[in-house]
Amino acid sequence: YRYQKNKPYIKSRYCRGVPESKIRIYDVGNKSAAVDLFPFVAHLVCDEKQQISSEALEACRVAINKYLGKHVGKENYHIRMRAHPFHVLRANKMLSCAGADRLSSGMRHSYGKPIGVSARVDIGQVLLSVRAKDQYEKFVIEAIRRGKFKFAGRQKILKSLKWGFTKYPREEYVQLRKSGVLAADGNIVKVHNRRGPLEKSALYLSGQD
């Protein structure tokens, strides 16, 4: 089930009786940590066009969570799984008991029954991201390396130049936060929309246009 052979086949009113995905939790660790707390982020990037089963995604999440929980503590990281399994896998179930040759229909009516779900991923797609403090960099990279063994194919571990799960490079982020253009909003940042009364505007009060 590793290769993308057919068209995407998702759960719908026509494709019923699909078993639940094995991965139910996509964010683990200290997911409510403020955006300023965890500047370091590393990604696991897929290097092949393939399918990854929900079982593999869950196994990877558990492995990374276990390693980081042991070495850096539950409150010092945030893992986000970025690949979601929607593609339904089918199998033409065969009877394998004795005397099955008289009962089984071989390749007659061979359209399979749903047996699980997987994520269809592309080259360069981010499978998961982990944010933490800079001092835990080597633990984060080792944890992702261990999680990598749960997947088929090749993956690369990338250290990001951005600040946490934001889209801003580090220097730019610090500068924009100081100037008040960006405001922390939980584990994300909000961009100042330059609207509203001037006396309430953080930008105007700090002397910016």
Side-chain angles (χ1 to χ4, degrees), residues 63 67 72 98 140 150 169 186 194 199:
Y67 183 85
V72 306
V140 168
K150 307 295 179 193
R194 292 178 160 74
E199 59 267 18

Side-chain angles (χ1 to χ4, degrees), residues 148-167:
K148 207 166 68 153
F149 294 124
K150 307 295 179 193
F151 295 143
R154 297 182 58 163
Q155 292 83 29
K156 291 196 167 82
I157 301 170
L158 290 188
K159 177 182 164 185
S160 177
L161 300 174
K162 307 261 193 312
W163 182 289
F165 288 163
T166 65
K167 61 182 181 183

Side-chain angles (χ1 to χ4, degrees), residues 57 102 136 180 182 208:
L57 288 167
R102 281 179 295 162
Y136 299 130
L182 294 179
Q208 298 217 5

Side-chain angles (χ1 to χ4, degrees), residues 189-208:
V189 281
K190 280 185 171 170
V191 182
H192 197 292
N193 63 5
R194 292 178 160 74
R195 294 201 184 99
L198 284 177
E199 59 267 18
K200 289 183 185 168
S201 166
L203 282 180
Y204 180 72
L205 295 175
S206 65
Q208 298 217 5

Side-chain angles (χ1 to χ4, degrees), residues 6 9 39 67 86 144 157 203 209:
N6 305 325
Y9 182 67
Y67 183 85
F86 291 115
I144 296 177
I157 301 170
L203 282 180
D209 48 348

